[in-house]
Amino acid sequence: MKKFWIPGCIFGLLTACQPGQDRNSAEVEDIKEVVNTFGYDLNFLQNHLDGLIILKDDSAKSQVIVAPQYQGRVMTSTAGGEEGLSYGWINYDLISSGELREHMNPYGGEDRFWMGPEGGQYAIFFEQGDEFVYENWQTPPALDTEAFEVVSNSEKEVSFTKNISLQNYSGTRFDVKVDRTISLMDASVVENELEITLPSEGIDLVAFASDNRITNQGEKAWLKEEGLLSIWILGMFKPSPSTTVVIPCDDDPALDVPIVNDRYFGKVPEDRLKVENGFIYFKGDGNFRSKIGLAPERAKPIMGSYDAENKVLTIVKFSLPQNAADYVNSMWEIQNQPYTGDAINAYNDGPLDDGSAQLGPFYELESSSPAAALVAGESIQHRHITIHFSGSVETLDQLAREILGVGLEQINQVFS
C-alpha cells in the first residue's frame, strides 16, 4: 500500500464542506478513508517519532505500533494490514507540533502506562498543599514526556524499563523501577485467554498484552499510612456516534458499594449511562466529558465496547486478583477512605466546562492494579490485554455473547 502524509491544511476539508457540495463531500470521504487506515498512522508516526517498533504476525495483517519515546505505549493497531482500520486514537496536531503542554500531553495510544493515585492526600499528580483544581494538576514527566529504555525486541514482543522517582501529596518519596512488555498475541492465545473457540472464518482480529511491573527500589517499605502506588493502564480509542462501552458487573444489592461511581466530573446523564441486568452501558461517542468507575467488589476482569458504525468489537481483559480490596482512590479531594478506589474506569471525552476545546475526541477503557504495599525489593504486576475483532455482525454478535454475556442487538438498543 502507498503510504500517505496529508498536510494539515487538507484536514480543513473534513469540516469545511457544506451540504450540497457533492465534489467536496466525495473528497472528504476519500480523505477520511485514508486517515482512518493503519498505513496512514504508521507513516505519520514514522515522520514524527524516533525508534518506533512495529510488532506483526506472519501475515502482516495483525500489527501494533509501539513508541519507546512515549513510555513504551501502544499507539495503535490493526487487524487488516496497512489498508485496515487503525484502532487507536492519535493526537496528530499535538505530535506534529512538537510542543510540550503544561498539565499533560495527550499524545493518544491504546495502552499507556500510568500510576495512581491521581488525587487525594496521597496523589502523585498534585504538589503538597495545592488545591485540587485543574490549574494545579500535573502529570509526572516520567509518565508523560520521558522515554522508556528498550531492553529487548523481537518481531512479536518488546520489553522496556524505566527508573522513576516520585513524591506524593503527603511528602512520601517513591523510588520505582518499571518493567513493561508488549506482546502480540495470536488466535490460539486469544482463545486460551478468553476460554472460547474462535470462528473459523468471517473474523479478523488483532490482540496484544501489556505486562507491567513496578518494584520498590527504595530502602523503606511502602506503607498505607504514607500512601501507596498502583499500576494504571489507559487505552484511548476512536469514538463514533454508535460506540457503546459495555462493562459486566456484580449488581448484587447486598454489596455495600455503589454499582458505579459516576461523580468524577458531575453525574452522568441517564441517556449516557445505564445499569441493566448486570451490565453497565456507557456512551463512547466523544461528545460529552464524563467518567465512571467500578470498585473491585463490583468489577469483573473483562470489559469492552462495540462500534456499530465500523463493526468493531473491542475487548479488554485485565488482572483482577481475588480478595484484593485496597485500590487507590483518585478523586480530587482529601479523602476519608483513600483505598476505596476503582479497579475499572471508562472515560468519554467532550468539551470542557469552560467552553474550551476538548482534548480529543476519544473514549478510554482503563484498568488498575491493587494498591502496592511493597517492602524494599518487592514487586507487583498488572496485565492488560486489548483485542479488536472485526467482521460480520452475526459473528461479532456470537463473540459478544460468549465473551461479554450480551448480544449486539441489546447493546445497540440501550441508547436508541
Side-chain angles (χ1 to χ4, degrees):
M1 172 185 172
K2 180 181 179 181
K3 296 179 182 178
F4 296 87
W5 165 235
I6 301 174
C9 61
I10 295 183
F11 284 109
L13 285 173
L14 295 176
T15 56
C17 63
Q18 301 296 322
Q21 295 178 315
D22 294 337
R23 183 178 60 82
N24 281 352
S25 295
E27 290 173 354
V28 167
E29 290 306 312
D30 288 344
I31 292 169
K32 284 182 178 179
E33 186 174 346
V34 170
V35 171
N36 282 331
T37 64
F38 183 80
Y40 175 84
D41 284 346
L42 176 60
N43 180 248
F44 171 83
L45 293 170
Q46 286 175 330
N47 274 281
H48 291 92
L49 300 181
D50 297 325
L52 283 181
I53 294 170
I54 315 302
L55 308 180
K56 62 177 69 176
D57 66 3
D58 296 338
S59 71
K61 288 187 68 177
S62 297
Q63 297 193 44
V64 173
I65 303 175
V66 187
Q69 192 172 333
Y70 294 158
Q71 307 83 49
R73 80 179 66 187
V74 175
M75 296 302 297
T76 191
S77 65
T78 187
E82 291 194 10
E83 294 183 356
L85 282 174
S86 184
Y87 297 123
W89 178 77
I90 294 173
N91 193 334
Y92 304 109
D93 290 343
L94 178 59
I95 293 173
S96 60
S97 75
E99 70 179 34
L100 294 179
R101 295 186 179 175
E102 182 179 359
H103 301 287
M104 172 198 173
N105 289 273
Y107 297 119
E110 293 191 58
D111 184 309
R112 79 176 188 269
F113 179 90
W114 263 17
M115 287 188 285
E118 184 177 354
Q121 57 266 45
Y122 302 134
I124 58 172
F125 287 71
F126 290 88
E127 293 189 1
Q128 190 170 23
D130 281 351
E131 185 181 358
F132 294 110
V133 294
Y134 180 77
E135 289 74 17
N136 297 328
W137 178 71
Q138 181 62 53
T139 308
L143 308 180
D144 187 34
T145 56
E146 296 180 5
F148 278 20
E149 177 188 348
V150 178
V151 176
S152 63
N153 182 23
S154 67
E155 288 185 356
K156 298 181 181 180
E157 185 173 281
V158 57
S159 295
F160 303 92
T161 192
K162 177 74 172 178
N163 292 323
I164 297 175
S165 292
L166 299 167
Q167 182 168 300
N168 71 13
Y169 190 89
S170 295
T172 303
R173 178 185 172 88
F174 300 91
D175 293 313
V176 187
K177 182 175 186 288
V178 177
D179 294 289
R180 174 170 164 85
T181 297
I182 307 297
S183 305
L184 185 67
M185 301 164 58
D186 62 25
S188 63
V189 176
V190 171
E191 289 182 322
N192 289 334
E193 286 284 353
L194 299 180
E195 299 180 346
I196 63 171
T197 299
L198 291 172
S200 58
E201 58 184 23
I203 197 76
D204 290 316
L205 71 88
V206 61
F208 56 89
S210 72
D211 289 283
N212 307 274
R213 182 171 75 244
I214 59 173
T215 302
N216 179 356
Q217 286 204 130
E219 297 179 354
K220 293 178 55 180
W222 297 349
L223 305 175
K224 289 181 68 173
E225 57 267 28
E226 296 179 349
L228 300 176
L229 302 175
S230 68
I231 299 170
W232 187 1
I233 305 299
L234 305 93
M236 306 170 85
F237 305 101
K238 294 176 180 177
S240 81
S242 59
T243 294
T244 301
V245 173
V246 184
I247 306 176
C249 67
D250 187 340
D251 60 356
D252 184 351
L255 291 175
D256 191 26
V257 291
I259 295 178
V260 59
N261 174 12
D262 69 344
R263 62 188 186 93
Y264 281 92
F265 304 120
K267 187 171 179 60
V268 182
E270 291 184 3
D271 63 345
R272 292 187 160 272
L273 174 65
K274 292 187 183 297
V275 180
E276 294 181 358
N277 303 318
F279 294 94
I280 295 168
Y281 301 97
F282 180 60
K283 275 196 174 182
D285 60 0
N287 288 330
F288 185 87
R289 185 170 182 253
S290 49
K291 181 176 178 178
I292 61 172
L294 275 74
E297 297 91 337
R298 296 289 186 181
K300 297 183 179 181
I302 198 106
M303 57 181 159
S305 64
Y306 180 60
D307 176 354
E309 180 176 302
N310 294 297
K311 298 182 177 60
V312 176
L313 176 66
T314 297
I315 300 295
V316 171
K317 183 182 178 184
F318 55 94
S319 305
L320 186 67
Q322 290 186 347
N323 303 320
D326 290 337
Y327 279 72
V328 301
N329 187 342
S330 283
M331 297 293 292
W332 287 20
E333 60 192 20
I334 297 298
Q335 303 152 359
N336 294 325
Q337 297 178 308
Y339 298 105
T340 57
D342 298 324
I344 290 176
N345 292 104
Y347 172 80
N348 187 51
D349 192 40
L352 301 179
D353 292 339
D354 62 5
S356 58
Q358 64 191 95
L359 297 176
F362 57 83
Y363 72 97
E364 290 185 325
L365 301 176
E366 312 169 7
S367 74
S368 293
S369 75
L374 306 176
V375 300
E378 191 177 9
S379 303
I380 188 172
Q381 292 179 277
H382 185 69
R383 182 172 171 83
H384 184 103
I385 297 170
T386 304
I387 308 165
H388 301 287
F389 296 103
S390 64
S392 69
V393 172
E394 294 76 16
T395 305
L396 295 176
D397 178 68
Q398 175 188 338
L399 289 169
R401 291 176 184 276
E402 291 186 26
I403 300 167
L404 295 173
V406 62
L408 298 187
E409 183 178 2
Q410 173 62 31
I411 294 171
N412 291 334
Q413 289 180 350
V414 166
F415 295 116
S416 61

